[in-house]
Amino acid sequence: MELNDANLQTLTEFLRKTLDPDPTVRRPAEKFLESVEGNQNYPLLLLTLLEKSQDNVIRVCAAVTFKNYIKRNWRIVEDEPNKISDADRTAIKANIVNLMLSSPEQIQKQLSDAISIIGREDFPQKWPDLLTEMVTRFRSGDFHIINGVLRTAHSLFKRYRHEFKSNELWTEIKLVLGTFALPLTELFKATIELCQTHANDVNALKVLFSSLTLISKLFYSLNFQDLPEFFEDNMETWMTNFHGLLTLDNKLLQTDDEEEAGLLELLKSQICDNAALYAQKYDEEFQPYLPRFVTAIWNLLVSTGQEVKYDLLVSNAIQFLASVCERPHYKHLFEDQNTLTSICEKVIVPNMEFRSADEEAFEDNSEEYIRRDLEGSDIDTRRRAACDLVRGLCKFFEGPVTAIFSGYVNSMLSEYAKNPGLNWKHKDAATYLVTSLASKAQTQKHGITQANELVNLTEFFVNHILPDLQSSNVNEFPVLKADAIKYVMIFRSKLPKEQLLQAVPLLITHLQAESTVQHTYAAHALERLFTMRGPNNATLITSAEMAPFTEQLLTNLFKALTLPGSAENEYIMKAIMRSFSLLQEAIVPYIPTLIGQLTHKLLLVSKNPSKPHFNHYLFESLCLSVRITCKANPVTVSSFEEALFPVFTEILQNDVQEFLPYVFQVMSLLLEIHSNSIPASYMALFPHLLQPVLWERTGNIPPLVRLLQAFLEKGGASIAASAADKIPGLLGVFQKLIASKANDHQGFYLLNSIIENMPPESITQYRKQIFILLFQRLQSSKTTKFIKSFLVFINLYCVKYGAIALQEIFDSIQPKMFGMVLEKIIIPEVQKVSGTVEKKICAVGITKILTECPAMMDTEYTKLWTPLLQALIGLFELPEDDSIPDDEHFIDIEDTPGYQTAFSQLAFAGRKEHDPIGDAVGNPKILLAQSLHKLSTACPGRVPSMLNTSLNAEALKFLQGYLQVASVQLV
């Protein structure tokens, strides 16, 4: 693609179409962009547009498209073509920093992200001048540019907070500190001076405070791994200024907004984080500064209001106190009973209250509420921070703290009892205290003992929780009902089974509640109860115990999906999956109606898949329906196909990428249930499965290979008869897979199925080429995984076509090749083969080579006979060799670049392990004994003499054992 006006114009038109709400316009435009993104100059055209286009919407769209393009393609993946030309890479790196700094903020953010993605791969080795180029911009004095640099630096360095320690990381951080630490400190001091100069200019202060917040974030990232010498030497500068900023209260920066945190709050929150980092990690060096930070942060907590905008600040400030009170050094600061009472009264209890903002979230933003409350993404909530502080205090002061809170719990509950309608929030706070304190003791046992239960859990359940669950009006006091359900869920392993069984029908009733949080919690609690294990690893609650409630359970779960806000509720769908799994054949009578509802739901979500977990559990539920019903009655598979195929066809035609791997797995499951023939509806699909575009996406590979295996298993002969022209396509797929280190094992799965199930004559003409391809791959990159698969394949070939055929095909490629393979691959490497079926295939194959291949007895190959036998006995008797060469440790990790859908394995679509040898060979050791006996009768005297002269004594002893068990002798 040339850099010219015509191409810029075309690109502009297609970008505009990608914003169109109509999918018939949008989809083709997205497909077009996908098809041209491999062309040289494509990224440079995008950069030109975002710099020069007159239309602001197009500029932003080009910036987002560019960032996503970089995200998908910049990383160079081994074995895959480089998706961005070197010339483009150089041009991008030469221009992007300047472009980013001169762009408006919306575009600046996108380019800043792109720089950090490139930096993650290329900095510092392939982009050494990035930092110097950025640091020189600090001198510009223009804070739009300076903030652009700081933002980019932040996105580059924030990974230091969670990277594992390594020499490379240290070297990189050292290099960064050498270039960046001093200019950053100078900038910090200069910015603080400017804040004083412009103390009355609100617009200047806004820019300066956003710089200070970014500088504070960079301070955190650069100090996270270890305390750098530079920062230790300059601690006075940083800490004095941080302390000054914490106590600063500039009226101009206060906002009227109650929801959104202002610049002052964001800066102070980050400073609390920085102080907590030093208090936790570098307490010795930080000790001189600690008391003044404790005082400042305490004053901040006592004087800060309950508004939502202060949540992050308050939670970070409390987390600071929590990290300090856990350290033995600082224990003395908290010892006084008055201090403890004051902390509990002024900090902990007020921040555990259920505020009107929480109530709003509960009602109007249930998804976010559930994410925070159930999934623990409540890191920055006041409640969570208050809990952490209590746990921290309990480390040294468990007795007094427990006493203080027991008093609070009792007084809150008695307040509630006086007037439930008015005082329900008191009960909520009491239940929250009990669940948060006691549950932390059982799930995260860090320094807190089980004795930290404020109340007797069973009594509390009977007296305070059960009444809420049993209430006749499910929609009254939804917050308390949700608390009660959560209580059952959290303490499920502590409560006796009869109480759990008492709760199950009540939870089923709560599935009908109008409140999204309430019916979601009910579904989640049921799902968790159904996974609990009892004695002998069976489920604690059995299908029989669920019998009285089965119909109600299924009805209410499916009804819950029709409630407002829960059309794609992943917790309900997971509960459906788990119920199917628990109830097994008890669901068969309901499946005819339920399968209709599931397929209808699938059709709806396939139009715009947005909830990956929901979709996953939906497909799992479909698999369970098929499995359970067809287990009882295999002929019902056709009614499932009638229900599912129309939806599947639509998904395949619209190329719904997220769903293809799932569809292939369900189709494999259905096809595997058929007796030995392929229905016409599947055969029509077969040619489409070989299209190269499907194999480009890594997520499709495992399920597609399995589906092709199912085709071969059920109808290898009919493919050879009616679709022989497709065999080259099938082998083309094998060739593509075998070339990739990540997917070569999938190529072997396919190849093994071809060898096992296709009529021999249908692939005769291709056999030699298959072996040549495998040898080319062995020469270019020989990995342990490849060798293991290669060994299984050649032995399967030997089992299927005979040892003579194997020897002849090797020697036809190159004279004496068979001996080289035995000597260099089979004998030294067979010990690495893992898996029962794989070992059995190798054992039977090697036995055939030893006893059914004349060339082994009377040519130059004879010298390999005993070492090969020794290797086989080793495979039987020695532990598996699982050593991997150093340079190969990370090969199998699937690094899916960018946005491609990774493969999601459906647990309930699992394939039974297949043994190609089956019952023909029960015990390979006995087969070896019988085959050696047969060989020795054909050439008397030869076998014992070969054994006695060169087989090691231990191996000989094992072999005599096999002969005895098989009751045969060698002659």
Side-chain angles (χ1 to χ4, degrees):
M1 291 174 87
E2 294 300 311
L3 271 172
N4 57 33
D5 290 345
N7 279 338
L8 286 171
Q9 191 51 43
T10 312
L11 198 52
T12 304
E13 281 159 27
F14 278 104
L15 285 173
R16 188 165 282 116
K17 284 179 186 167
T18 63
L19 303 172
D20 198 299
D22 177 358
T24 55
V25 178
R26 189 178 69 244
R27 284 248 169 87
E30 289 168 349
K31 284 265 176 287
F32 170 78
L33 291 179
E34 210 177 298
S35 69
V36 297
E37 72 172 26
N39 297 349
Q40 189 163 349
N41 290 332
Y42 170 75
L44 305 183
L45 284 163
L46 284 174
L47 288 177
T48 311
L49 274 186
L50 72 84
E51 183 184 13
K52 301 200 168 132
S53 171
Q54 298 304 306
D55 181 339
N56 216 21
V57 175
I58 292 298
R59 292 183 69 188
V60 175
C61 184
V64 174
T65 309
F66 175 78
K67 179 192 73 179
N68 290 338
Y69 163 83
I70 294 292
K71 196 168 189 172
R72 274 197 306 275
N73 301 310
W74 192 273
R75 169 175 288 181
I76 296 173
V77 181
E78 197 175 9
D79 298 326
E80 290 191 18
N82 179 354
K83 295 178 184 154
I84 303 179
S85 71
D86 289 341
D88 282 355
R89 285 174 186 268
T90 312
I92 289 169
K93 286 192 286 198
N95 295 306
I96 191 166
V97 176
N98 264 336
L99 246 181
M100 183 268 296
L101 296 175
S102 58
S103 299
E105 194 160 336
Q106 240 182 330
I107 293 171
Q108 195 177 69
K109 284 191 169 132
Q110 300 298 331
L111 291 179
S112 173
D113 283 351
I115 293 174
S116 67
I117 296 164
I118 298 171
R120 203 168 304 137
E121 301 300 321
D122 289 16
F123 175 78
Q125 272 77 20
K126 296 185 193 164
W127 202 357
D129 50 357
L130 169 64
L131 269 195
T132 33
E133 190 180 348
M134 280 167 41
V135 167
T136 50
R137 306 303 165 90
F138 283 165
R139 301 195 197 108
S140 67
D142 176 344
F143 272 84
H144 173 71
I145 290 179
I146 290 172
N147 281 355
V149 172
L150 291 172
R151 204 173 292 119
T152 308
H154 172 53
S155 56
L156 263 181
F157 303 153
K158 68 176 175 218
R159 68 186 179 85
Y160 301 157
R161 303 174 181 196
H162 41 246
E163 290 268 317
F164 287 121
K165 297 189 169 183
S166 68
N167 284 340
E168 280 153 67
L169 183 69
W170 289 123
T171 315
E172 183 180 324
I173 293 178
K174 202 167 170 223
L175 180 108
V176 168
L177 288 165
T179 317
F180 208 79
L182 179 62
L184 187 71
T185 309
E186 296 301 327
L187 179 68
F188 182 49
K189 292 194 297 202
T191 311
I192 284 177
E193 277 173 26
L194 285 169
C195 287
Q196 286 153 359
T197 318
H198 297 282
N200 301 317
D201 176 351
V202 67
N203 292 329
L205 284 178
K206 280 182 179 169
V207 177
L208 294 169
F209 268 76
S210 55
S211 308
L212 286 173
T213 307
L214 284 164
I215 291 170
S216 303
K217 287 181 173 181
L218 285 163
F219 176 90
Y220 189 86
S221 301
L222 295 174
N223 282 274
F224 190 87
Q225 290 280 345
D226 205 351
L227 178 56
E229 199 178 327
F230 177 87
F231 285 104
E232 193 177 343
D233 295 344
N234 289 275
M235 202 183 293
E236 178 68 32
T237 303
W238 283 93
M239 289 306 154
T240 310
N241 282 314
F242 278 158
H243 181 263
L245 290 168
L246 261 188
T247 48
L248 177 83
D249 185 17
N250 190 315
K251 296 282 179 282
L252 290 176
L253 286 171
Q254 287 177 351
T255 54
D256 297 330
D257 188 336
E258 290 198 358
E259 301 282 315
E260 198 68 38
L263 288 167
L264 206 53
E265 288 81 50
L266 289 172
L267 174 61
K268 288 183 178 183
S269 310
Q270 186 56 49
I271 292 173
C272 287
D273 258 358
N274 295 354
L277 176 76
Y278 266 54
Q280 272 174 317
K281 290 186 128 182
Y282 318 124
D283 47 6
E284 225 170 280
E285 295 83 355
F286 186 56
Q287 221 159 355
Y289 304 95
L290 183 92
R292 65 179 104 154
F293 273 91
V294 171
T295 312
I297 286 173
W298 172 258
N299 291 334
L300 198 67
L301 277 172
V302 183
S303 61
T304 301
Q306 283 283 355
E307 291 85 354
V308 175
K309 66 173 173 183
Y310 299 124
D311 282 7
L312 181 66
L313 173 57
V314 169
S315 86
N316 280 0
I318 298 177
Q319 292 288 7
F320 167 76
L321 287 184
S323 61
V324 171
C325 73
E326 281 184 341
R327 317 290 296 182
H329 284 42
Y330 311 136
K331 189 173 143 188
H332 62 277
L333 294 171
F334 299 89
E335 267 167 343
D336 181 14
Q337 178 73 29
N338 295 335
T339 309
L340 285 174
T341 311
S342 172
I343 289 178
C344 294
E345 199 177 302
K346 294 186 174 154
V347 175
I348 292 168
V349 173
N351 286 303
M352 283 212 175
E353 281 169 13
F354 195 76
R355 299 170 301 166
S356 49
D358 299 315
E359 207 171 339
E360 274 171 36
F362 185 94
E363 287 166 12
D364 306 331
N365 192 357
S366 47
E367 214 168 295
E368 179 59 25
Y369 182 91
I370 292 164
R371 192 174 297 126
R372 291 184 148 188
D373 196 39
L374 272 193
E375 299 173 17
S377 75
D378 58 348
I379 305 300
D380 54 356
T381 61
R382 294 174 180 237
R383 280 192 148 184
R384 169 70 176 269
C387 286
D388 289 347
L389 178 53
V390 177
R391 280 162 50 212
L393 289 169
C394 283
K395 186 167 177 182
F396 294 122
F397 314 108
E398 190 175 356
V401 170
T402 306
I404 293 169
F405 282 118
S406 294
Y408 274 114
V409 168
N410 293 331
S411 73
M412 287 170 184
L413 288 171
S414 59
E415 282 298 309
Y416 166 73
K418 285 179 202 164
N419 184 346
L422 197 62
N423 297 338
W424 62 267
K425 287 187 181 177
H426 289 287
K427 181 169 182 180
D428 168 76
T431 314
Y432 191 83
L433 263 173
V434 171
T435 38
S436 52
L437 295 180
S439 66
K440 298 301 183 202
Q442 91 197 8
T443 50
Q444 297 165 314
K445 295 198 178 96
H446 299 305
I448 289 191
T449 56
Q450 203 56 47
N452 196 10
E453 286 173 9
L454 284 180
V455 293
N456 175 316
L457 293 176
T458 312
E459 278 174 26
F460 194 86
F461 175 76
V462 174
N463 298 332
H464 301 289
I465 298 297
L466 206 52
D468 282 338
L469 291 176
Q470 287 168 330
S471 140
S472 54
N473 179 354
V474 287
N475 293 318
E476 187 185 30
F477 299 137
V479 175
L480 294 184
K481 300 275 200 311
D483 288 341
I485 297 169
K486 189 179 169 192
Y487 185 96
V488 175
M489 188 169 60
I490 286 183
F491 296 120
R492 59 187 185 276
S493 54
K494 290 276 164 283
L495 294 169
K497 180 175 173 179
E498 54 274 17
Q499 290 191 343
L500 297 178
L501 284 172
Q502 195 181 357
V504 166
L506 303 173
L507 292 169
I508 292 173
T509 310
H510 284 281
L511 288 168
Q512 297 171 296
E514 288 163 11
S515 153
T516 307
V517 175
Q518 194 180 335
H519 62 244
T520 301
Y521 279 21
H524 187 48
L526 286 164
E527 190 272 328
R528 295 285 83 199
L529 293 179
F530 293 166
T531 49
M532 290 177 73
R533 297 278 163 192
N536 66 27
N537 209 27
T539 53
L540 181 70
I541 296 174
T542 63
S543 180
E545 286 166 330
M546 287 301 297
F549 322 121
T550 297
E551 187 161 337
Q552 201 56 52
L553 170 69
L554 295 172
T555 309
N556 287 4
L557 279 169
F558 276 87
K559 257 198 206 149
L561 286 175
T562 62
L563 292 168
S566 280
E568 293 182 38
N569 185 322
E570 63 185 71
Y571 291 98
I572 298 173
M573 194 39 98
K574 192 176 187 183
I576 290 173
M577 170 191 85
R578 199 68 69 199
S579 304
F580 283 9
S581 171
L582 174 75
L583 297 166
Q584 289 294 324
E585 49 278 3
I587 66 168
V588 173
Y590 306 101
I591 286 299
T593 50
L594 297 183
I595 196 75
Q597 296 183 45
L598 288 170
T599 43
H600 178 63
K601 184 59 83 178
L602 177 58
L603 188 61
L604 291 177
V605 295
S606 67
K607 303 273 187 277
N608 182 18
S610 56
K611 295 278 179 71
H613 290 111
F614 177 86
N615 301 334
H616 187 90
Y617 301 134
L618 173 57
F619 277 103
E620 291 281 21
S621 304
L622 286 169
C623 291
L624 277 162
S625 320
V626 171
R627 272 234 143 122
I628 294 166
T629 315
C630 294
K631 186 177 168 187
N633 185 3
V635 289
T636 51
V637 68
S638 57
S639 54
F640 281 107
E641 287 163 353
E642 276 167 35
L644 290 167
F645 272 29
V647 190
F648 285 180
T649 310
E650 195 159 318
I651 290 171
L652 291 166
Q653 280 170 347
N654 293 330
D655 190 27
V656 184
Q657 294 190 16
E658 296 89 331
F659 281 6
L660 293 187
Y662 291 127
V663 168
F664 297 142
Q665 286 177 83
V666 181
M667 289 186 76
S668 307
L669 180 65
L670 291 164
L671 183 51
E672 285 158 10
I673 292 168
H674 279 275
S675 49
N676 291 337
S677 66
I678 303 181
S681 52
Y682 288 87
M683 274 315 283
L685 181 71
F686 183 68
H688 300 288
L689 299 178
L690 304 174
Q691 289 174 351
V693 60
L694 280 179
W695 295 88
E696 290 302 319
R697 299 181 203 140
T698 39
N700 286 348
I701 290 173
L704 266 179
V705 167
R706 175 179 166 193
L707 185 53
L708 289 179
Q709 284 182 288
F711 269 95
L712 290 162
E713 225 165 275
K714 296 296 170 189
S718 56
I719 291 175
S722 64
D725 56 329
K726 297 292 173 277
I727 295 175
L730 200 56
L731 291 167
V733 169
F734 151 75
Q735 182 173 358
K736 177 181 167 51
L737 294 174
I738 217 78
S740 143
K741 283 185 190 170
N743 297 314
D744 49 17
H745 59 293
Q746 297 285 349
F748 276 111
Y749 292 159
L750 186 58
L751 179 59
N752 292 347
S753 287
I754 293 172
I755 295 296
E756 192 189 334
N757 299 299
M758 295 287 280
E761 63 285 356
S762 66
I763 55 168
T764 310
Q765 56 182 344
Y766 308 110
R767 282 190 216 167
K768 190 169 175 181
Q769 189 52 38
I770 290 172
F771 277 89
I772 290 172
L773 282 172
L774 292 174
F775 279 119
Q776 284 169 344
R777 167 62 213 270
L778 261 177
Q779 279 174 321
S780 66
S781 73
K782 171 180 157 183
T783 64
T784 306
K785 177 159 76 95
F786 184 86
I787 284 178
K788 282 159 72 165
S789 302
F790 180 66
L791 284 168
V792 173
F793 161 68
I794 50 185
N795 283 300
L796 180 69
Y797 188 95
C798 177
V799 172
K800 180 81 180 168
Y801 296 128
I804 297 176
L806 183 71
Q807 177 246 320
E808 284 175 348
I809 195 155
F810 276 134
D811 287 346
S812 71
I813 293 170
Q814 190 183 321
K816 304 206 177 54
M817 172 74 96
F818 181 59
M820 286 191 274
V821 171
L822 285 175
E823 191 177 354
K824 297 275 189 297
I825 298 174
I826 298 183
I827 294 170
E829 304 283 8
V830 76
Q831 205 57 43
K832 290 200 162 91
V833 173
S834 53
T836 330
V837 174
E838 288 82 351
K839 286 182 170 177
K840 183 175 174 184
I841 293 170
C842 290
V844 176
I846 292 174
T847 300
K848 282 182 172 292
I849 295 173
L850 286 166
T851 60
E852 295 175 16
C853 177
M856 288 300 289
M857 295 303 286
D858 45 23
T859 63
E860 68 273 29
Y861 295 155
T862 312
K863 65 177 186 298
L864 298 170
W865 192 89
T866 324
L868 183 60
L869 176 62
Q870 176 119 358
L872 174 56
I873 297 171
L875 179 66
F876 287 144
E877 305 298 343
L878 294 173
E880 180 190 317
D881 169 12
D882 53 9
S883 62
I884 290 182
D886 285 346
D887 55 345
E888 258 180 58
H889 273 299
F890 298 106
I891 275 172
D892 295 353
I893 296 172
E894 298 270 350
D895 250 331
T896 353
Y899 286 128
Q900 290 192 17
T901 28
F903 167 53
S904 303
Q905 173 80 52
L906 288 168
F908 294 110
R911 183 170 185 254
K912 288 203 288 292
E913 186 164 45
H914 167 69
D915 177 357
I917 295 167
D919 300 334
V921 176
N923 181 343
K925 296 177 181 178
I926 291 178
L927 175 75
L928 173 65
Q930 292 166 338
S931 307
L932 285 173
H933 167 71
K934 202 164 136 198
L935 177 69
S936 75
T937 48
C939 39
R942 286 283 304 277
V943 176
S945 77
M946 290 203 291
L947 294 179
N948 294 329
T949 49
S950 50
L951 191 68
N952 118 0
E954 209 176 339
L956 190 56
K957 206 159 81 190
F958 281 122
L959 182 60
Q960 282 157 349
Y962 308 158
L963 293 164
Q964 260 169 349
V965 177
S967 38
V968 292
Q969 290 174 338
L970 301 179
V971 293

